[in-house]
Amino acid sequence: MIKANMLAILLALAGTSAFANPSSSTVNFSNGTEGWVGLQGEDGGTKIDNSVGNGTPGLHTDYLYTGVLFWNTTNQNFLGDYTSAKSVSFGIDVNTHSIDSGGFDNAQYPRDFVVELRQNIAPGKWNSVWKTLGVLDSSTGLQHFSASIADTGASLASSGWKGYNPASADLALPDGVTLSSVLSHVDEVIFSTWVPGFSYDPAHFDVTVDNISITSSVPEPEQMAMLLSGLALLGVAARRKKADKCA
């Protein structure tokens, strides 16, 4: 029994390392898209542009649609079990060249900009948590946006993030779903002008993003100390049991 308990704790220690994702990373598009994707269509599209990034190439969307969208479903640095870290932070540089009516007039239309973390539960169905980063406005030039989750085990109210249930279009998570449960399996990270639960008229978006980053904390020292203490106590118990047998 002692050996089985020790094995269980060793496996827990190994699991803490193996599943400690996401990991800190920055995508500056010098090495390709690294999983980040933008809208494509007959009215324009998204590509890496060497002339419009923040000191590096950027991911540039020139497109007529109801919003601008950048998402990632494949870069494992941005996906996985966020609760394996105490806190997680995001950063992104955005250059809003123009958001206009698409040629009808010269008016500009600033749009809210959000980050959304999705947990896919079935094709076309998901739970998500999201936060408004700021406003995309062509008059402001290059902007840096950031957002943090200080405690991945916190409630939505205390974290400053909001929930979304697309099945009901409610700006709240379904019953029984929490911030922590969504964060435990993040399948998609999105930066967009689509605020969950709202719809928009089409506009011409000319927007570049760059230096998309994620920073995750290492496992809490207290948790590691508790695991190591458990191993030490089991070791002591094993030695005592052996001594009793020899007595």
Short mmCIF file of all heavy atoms in Angstrom, two decimals, residues 15 21 31 66 91 124 138 165 171 197:
data_model
loop_
_atom_site.label_atom_id
_atom_site.label_comp_id
_atom_site.label_asym_id
_atom_site.label_seq_id
_atom_site.Cartn_x
_atom_site.Cartn_y
_atom_site.Cartn_z
N GLY A 15 2.51 14.49 -13.71
CA GLY A 15 1.38 15.09 -14.41
C GLY A 15 1.39 16.59 -14.31
O GLY A 15 1.02 17.30 -15.23
N ASN A 21 0.07 23.32 -19.20
CA ASN A 21 -0.12 24.12 -20.38
C ASN A 21 -1.28 25.07 -20.14
O ASN A 21 -2.11 24.83 -19.25
CB ASN A 21 -0.40 23.23 -21.61
CG ASN A 21 -1.54 22.26 -21.37
OD1 ASN A 21 -2.64 22.64 -20.98
ND2 ASN A 21 -1.30 20.98 -21.61
N ASN A 31 8.07 33.73 -37.99
CA ASN A 31 8.18 32.31 -38.33
C ASN A 31 6.86 31.76 -38.87
O ASN A 31 6.52 30.60 -38.63
CB ASN A 31 8.59 31.52 -37.08
CG ASN A 31 9.94 31.93 -36.55
OD1 ASN A 31 10.90 32.03 -37.31
ND2 ASN A 31 10.03 32.18 -35.26
N THR A 66 -18.84 41.58 -41.15
CA THR A 66 -19.49 42.16 -39.96
C THR A 66 -18.53 42.30 -38.78
O THR A 66 -18.90 42.85 -37.75
CB THR A 66 -20.67 41.28 -39.53
OG1 THR A 66 -20.21 39.94 -39.36
CG2 THR A 66 -21.77 41.32 -40.58
N GLY A 91 -1.46 39.31 -24.37
CA GLY A 91 -1.11 40.60 -24.92
C GLY A 91 -1.22 40.57 -26.44
O GLY A 91 -1.02 39.51 -27.06
N GLY A 124 -20.10 23.09 -33.52
CA GLY A 124 -20.91 24.30 -33.51
C GLY A 124 -21.42 24.71 -32.15
O GLY A 124 -22.22 25.65 -32.05
N SER A 138 -9.19 53.89 -35.72
CA SER A 138 -8.13 54.26 -36.65
C SER A 138 -7.41 55.54 -36.24
O SER A 138 -6.29 55.80 -36.70
CB SER A 138 -8.70 54.42 -38.06
OG SER A 138 -9.68 55.45 -38.09
N ASN A 165 -23.14 31.72 -23.39
CA ASN A 165 -23.76 30.46 -23.77
C ASN A 165 -24.42 30.66 -25.12
O ASN A 165 -25.54 31.18 -25.20
CB ASN A 165 -24.78 30.04 -22.71
CG ASN A 165 -25.50 28.75 -23.08
OD1 ASN A 165 -25.14 28.09 -24.05
ND2 ASN A 165 -26.50 28.39 -22.30
N LEU A 171 -25.62 36.00 -21.91
CA LEU A 171 -24.30 36.47 -21.50
C LEU A 171 -23.99 35.91 -20.11
O LEU A 171 -23.68 36.64 -19.16
CB LEU A 171 -24.26 38.00 -21.50
CG LEU A 171 -24.39 38.64 -22.88
CD1 LEU A 171 -24.37 40.15 -22.78
CD2 LEU A 171 -23.27 38.16 -23.81
N GLY A 197 -22.93 37.69 -28.10
CA GLY A 197 -24.32 38.05 -27.87
C GLY A 197 -24.82 39.22 -28.67
O GLY A 197 -26.00 39.55 -28.62
#
